Amino acid sequence: MISQIYRNVTCNQCNEVMEYDVFDSVNVTLNPILKDKVINDELFVLTCPKCGKMFYLSYPFTYNDMDVHYMIRYTNNENVDKQKEEFNTFVNTINSELKSNFKELSYKYRIVNEYERLKEKVRIFDRDLDDRIIELYKYEFIVNGYDKELNNLDDIIFVNVDGSAECVFILFEKDVIDNVRAISFDEMEYTRLEKEYEGVINRFNDFEIDLLWAQKVYNSVNINS
Ligand SMILES: [Zn+2]
């Protein structure tokens, strides 16, 4: 269901009163145009029709893809703990009441606190990849390659190359000029990781799948070996 709320805001440049939609649920199966809006960052941009001034909005919502079977709660980093709790309750309700539908479809549920993470998850799931393996891929690359304690890492994100199907990891380092590096995504490495962590990752159920999650899983396998 698309729950939609209309709100008003007054342009602080020309006093035009604008109405905008707030989506609690962004269902991209029922409303595919919303997916483009998420990918193009348009969901939170409001342009004054009179003077053209752009306003950036931010609010939490749930992204739901009924075809690919995943739901992502975007918290916009406000009241994160409360939102996590609510999402947990929501998922438990779904799983107990709609067992036949959702559980058998092995719906994936995730929580992200950053908009870039939401878009990254969409890229990953839409390519039929497992975000847990992607996070382990990033983690192994970083700790084995060059930064054991993640001290120099600012961010690492899975992206499409110029909107094509080809994907790379973009790595941002702290305190480094020209701090952006592209790392190719090797499907053989992905397959290797899938095999290596098969049987382990299901023991680490979580809505938040990120590098810290990958660190826990990696340590459980590697720390005593
Ligand atoms: Zn205006």
Side-chain angles (χ1 to χ4, degrees):
M1 294 301 103
I2 300 162
S3 40
Q4 214 166 332
I5 306 158
Y6 297 98
R7 287 193 189 148
N8 288 317
V9 64
T10 305
C11 176
N12 62 5
Q13 191 162 276
C14 72
N15 292 324
E16 175 82 355
V17 177
M18 296 167 279
E19 196 176 66
Y20 64 94
D21 309 335
V22 173
F23 296 92
D24 178 48
S25 168
V26 171
N27 188 318
V28 300
T29 307
L30 301 180
N31 200 352
I33 202 164
L34 288 178
K35 182 174 179 172
D36 298 332
K37 285 185 185 255
V38 167
I39 288 165
N40 301 329
D41 298 328
E42 286 169 24
L43 204 65
F44 295 134
V45 178
L46 183 67
T47 307
C48 174
K50 203 169 157 193
C51 75
K53 182 165 178 177
M54 283 163 90
F55 295 86
Y56 296 92
L57 318 162
S58 176
Y59 53 83
F61 65 86
T62 303
Y63 182 100
N64 185 9
D65 189 322
M66 291 156 70
D67 287 333
V68 191
H69 304 153
Y70 65 93
M71 216 181 265
I72 305 169
R73 182 69 182 172
Y74 166 68
T75 71
N76 80 335
N77 233 339
E78 282 171 19
N79 302 319
V80 174
D81 287 340
K82 186 167 171 269
Q83 289 199 47
K84 276 185 204 168
E85 213 181 292
E86 284 170 1
F87 192 68
N88 197 15
T89 308
F90 168 72
V91 172
N92 284 336
T93 309
I94 287 177
N95 278 337
S96 58
E97 287 177 12
L98 302 171
K99 229 169 229 164
S100 52
N101 288 324
F102 281 80
K103 231 178 184 172
E104 282 169 21
L105 291 172
S106 61
Y107 236 79
K108 291 190 194 83
Y109 302 96
R110 296 290 184 262
I111 293 178
V112 295
N113 304 323
E114 289 167 51
Y115 202 58
E116 278 308 319
R117 293 283 157 228
L118 169 74
K119 293 196 291 180
E120 181 185 42
K121 296 284 181 207
V122 171
R123 269 177 227 126
I124 292 168
F125 292 147
D126 286 2
R127 285 174 62 99
D128 203 20
L129 296 170
D130 186 332
D131 61 332
R132 300 171 302 176
I133 301 298
I134 292 287
E135 293 303 323
L136 285 160
Y137 190 127
K138 292 177 184 177
Y139 188 77
E140 285 212 356
F141 175 82
I142 294 160
V143 294
N144 296 333
Y146 89 125
D147 185 4
K148 203 153 185 57
E149 306 298 326
L150 304 179
N151 287 333
N152 302 316
L153 182 79
D154 193 16
D155 205 356
I156 178 165
I157 198 151
F158 188 68
V159 299
N160 292 80
V161 179
D162 297 327
S164 73
E166 193 194 340
C167 281
V168 294
F169 294 100
I170 300 287
L171 191 144
F172 301 86
E173 289 170 276
K174 277 182 201 155
D175 308 322
V176 179
I177 300 169
D178 283 333
N179 68 344
V180 183
R181 290 166 61 192
I183 297 139
S184 58
F185 171 65
D186 179 351
E187 290 197 21
M188 279 168 68
E189 172 67 358
Y190 178 88
T191 308
R192 181 191 73 76
L193 289 163
E194 232 178 359
K195 287 201 185 101
E196 187 179 329
Y197 288 98
E198 196 183 23
V200 178
I201 51 174
N202 288 331
R203 287 196 261 128
F204 290 84
N205 271 334
D206 208 318
F207 293 140
E208 286 180 283
I209 303 296
D210 53 18
L211 275 183
L212 293 175
W213 176 89
Q215 188 172 40
K216 271 191 288 184
V217 178
Y218 176 90
N219 286 342
S220 81
V221 171
N222 293 288
I223 217 148
N224 299 316
S225 59

